[in-house]
Amino acid sequence: MKCTKYEALFTFADEKTFQEHIKNCPDCKAEHEKMQKVSDLIKEVRPQFLEHRKTMAKLKIACAVFAMCLSATTLGIVNLNTDISDTIKYGSTLTAQDLGLPVDSYGFIMVE
C-alpha cells in the first residue's frame, strides 16, 4: 500500500520528523525528490519571470503617461479654442445647420 503522509508531514510536522520519515519511506522519498525538482525549476525561472513583470510594469506606466498627455492635450485644445468650446456644450447636440450644411425650412439636409 502506498504511503500518503507526505503532504501532511510536509505541512504540519517539524523538520526532524519530516526528514526521518523521508529516510524510511520510499514513497515519500520519491515524492520529495519530485518536489525538489519542481522547486529547482521554479528557482531557475524566477529571474526571467521577475524581469518580465518589471517590463510589463514599465509598459503600463508608459501607457498611463501617454493617456494622460493625450487627454490633457485634447482638453487644452477644447478649452482654449473658443470656436469648438462654443459649439460643443454639455447636453447639446450639433445640427446639420451647425455643421454648415444646406438645410430646408424643416431643418433637413437639402438634396438637389
Side-chain angles (χ1 to χ4, degrees), residues 9 12-24:
L9 288 171
F12 299 111
D14 59 81
E15 188 66 26
K16 183 180 177 187
T17 308
F18 178 65
Q19 291 300 330
E20 285 178 17
H21 182 75
I22 288 176
K23 287 178 186 175
N24 300 329

Side-chain angles (χ1 to χ4, degrees), residues 81-99:
N81 192 347
T82 56
D83 294 337
I84 295 174
S85 61
D86 288 342
T87 308
I88 301 173
K89 295 190 179 185
Y90 179 73
S92 67
T93 57
L94 294 175
T95 62
Q97 190 174 8
D98 292 337
L99 295 173

